[in-house]
Amino acid sequence: MNPKLLLKFRCAFLGGNKFGFTEQPTHETVEAIERIFGGKICTLLISSEQLLLALDKAHFEESLQEKNAKMAMLAILERATNLRASDLHFETRGEECVARVRIDGVLTDLVKFENELFFSLVNLIKLESGVDISQKLTPQDGRFGVEFGGRAYDLRLSTLPTIAGESVVVRILQKSRELLGLGELGFSGGALEKARRVAKRPGGMVLLCGPTGSGKTTTLYALLAEILDTSRKFISVEDPVEYEMAGVSQVALNEKAGMTFKAALRAILRQDPDVILVGEVRDEETLLIAVRAALTGHKVFSTLHTNSAILAISRMVEMGAQRYLLGGAMSGIISQRLVRRLCPFCKEQSGVVWRPKGCEKCFGTGYFGRVAVAEILEVTHELASLISNGASEDELSSVALKQGFVPLKKVCEEFLERGETSEEEVAKVVELEERG
């Protein structure tokens, strides 16, 4: 099947003997297609967007049939970017080889390969990434760039030896992607105002909490953008630098060269900064330096792996921070998750809630994009005093609730009521909360 020929007829092959048209086809057009395919066809009208999706799929499938590794690699990467994938996985499953894409946080099979094409493809990706193709017994990292549709992408390769062969994962980062503002993350009205107040408080430490892949870095930069100005010095240290932000002196972590978070943070404090972003608090020394910086008038933003805002206090105490220091250092703690947003083109209402259905636009998943759900703890004078004096988590929660703190579970329920996500997505967040 030749996509260019189908485009000439303004039609798309949808499967079986069905063809879609963006305008009513003439009798001559239908006859011409029937002659090409040697049989009767049925036609239906579709939107121009559906046409492009079908043609993209047809072109992708045709490229793989060529069994050319270079062509297949480009087709797979382009297909992954068109599907908004954040990661591309190449795996072996016994006799079967497969490429999978992570879309909105969930892995989905994209295409299966014959072994010969699969191994040629993996070797080509490794060559493009500048890693040793002969080395299959140790993990390797590399990177390369591609451009599709006028958009440049930075691709970061990771290989891992397994008993079934190498597992190869490619992280897909769009170079020119725009930073999202706080108002674009999905925070509800009340949470949005709280986040802005926490960001704009002079001095103090703001922590973003949540598991890996919960959008913490994106929210950090959105908070930073709220207060960015030329009258102050902004410095960040990250692993890696995911967004380039004008007005911020960004430092990339390099542990091989001794540039760890704690080493970078010590150096940053000698650069006369006003606002500091530390990609992650990983150890006691980094935490203590960050806390002291917050106590001495700096505004500090960072992330921590905990399941809730309240639990972040005890987690920092476990890491070695003194409670009396934390009370004075903290401005606010945000604990967030990402839930998949129901596809607006195909979601179905079932009683009082909405459910996923699946269509071409959402790759059959029923979801399109993700939205941040967050609980925001503003550290008031009363809460700061309780933290300093060793109050229990229950005591902190009780006072926070009286002051308007909305727990993550409640926030998720509000999103469910508005028809933005599904019961299944909310259940994942609640399960994680109960486990933590």
Side-chain angles (χ1 to χ4, degrees), residues 231-287:
S231 68
R232 293 184 290 175
K233 177 79 168 182
F234 289 74
I235 308 181
S236 75
V237 54
E238 306 161 66
D239 181 27
V241 174
E242 293 191 23
Y243 299 93
E244 292 185 12
M245 192 172 192
V248 181
S249 299
Q250 296 173 277
V251 178
L253 209 65
N254 188 340
E255 295 195 353
K256 291 180 180 178
M259 183 64 82
T260 62
F261 275 124
K262 56 188 177 184
L265 194 47
R266 286 198 207 97
I268 285 170
L269 289 171
R270 296 194 292 271
Q271 289 280 307
D272 188 29
D274 296 288
V275 181
I276 303 167
L277 186 151
V278 183
E280 184 183 343
V281 172
R282 293 180 180 174
D283 53 59
E284 179 183 356
E285 193 171 353
T286 302
L287 173 61

Side-chain angles (χ1 to χ4, degrees), residues 160-234:
L160 181 70
T162 75
I163 58 172
E166 280 187 296
S167 170
V168 175
V169 177
V170 179
R171 169 63 55 89
I172 303 170
L173 297 171
Q174 188 177 329
K175 287 185 177 181
S176 58
R177 57 179 173 167
E178 294 183 2
L179 290 169
L180 297 177
L182 273 179
E184 300 173 279
L185 299 181
F187 288 176
S188 59
L192 182 59
E193 290 308 309
K194 281 185 183 180
R196 284 180 172 147
R197 283 200 301 269
V198 164
K200 293 177 180 179
R201 284 174 63 175
M205 187 173 184
V206 178
L207 271 184
L208 264 291
C209 302
T212 300
S214 58
K216 298 188 294 295
T217 301
T218 301
T219 302
L220 270 185
Y221 269 90
L223 290 167
L224 208 60
E226 287 286 322
I227 63 171
L228 192 63
D229 62 63
T230 57
S231 68
R232 293 184 290 175
K233 177 79 168 182
F234 289 74

Side-chain angles (χ1 to χ4, degrees), residues 53 56-57 60 75-88 99-106 108-111 148 151 153 172 359-365 367-369:
L53 286 169
D56 175 60
K57 183 180 178 183
F60 171 65
I76 291 167
L77 289 174
E78 185 173 19
R79 181 73 169 152
T81 60
N82 288 342
L83 293 171
R84 304 175 294 106
S86 60
D87 300 87
L88 177 60
R100 301 199 287 167
V101 284
R102 188 177 295 279
I103 304 170
D104 297 330
V106 177
T108 305
D109 283 6
L110 179 64
V111 64
F148 298 117
R151 294 180 177 176
Y153 296 89
I172 303 170
C359 65
E360 285 184 339
K361 292 184 180 180
C362 61
F363 196 49
T365 64
Y367 298 93
F368 196 100

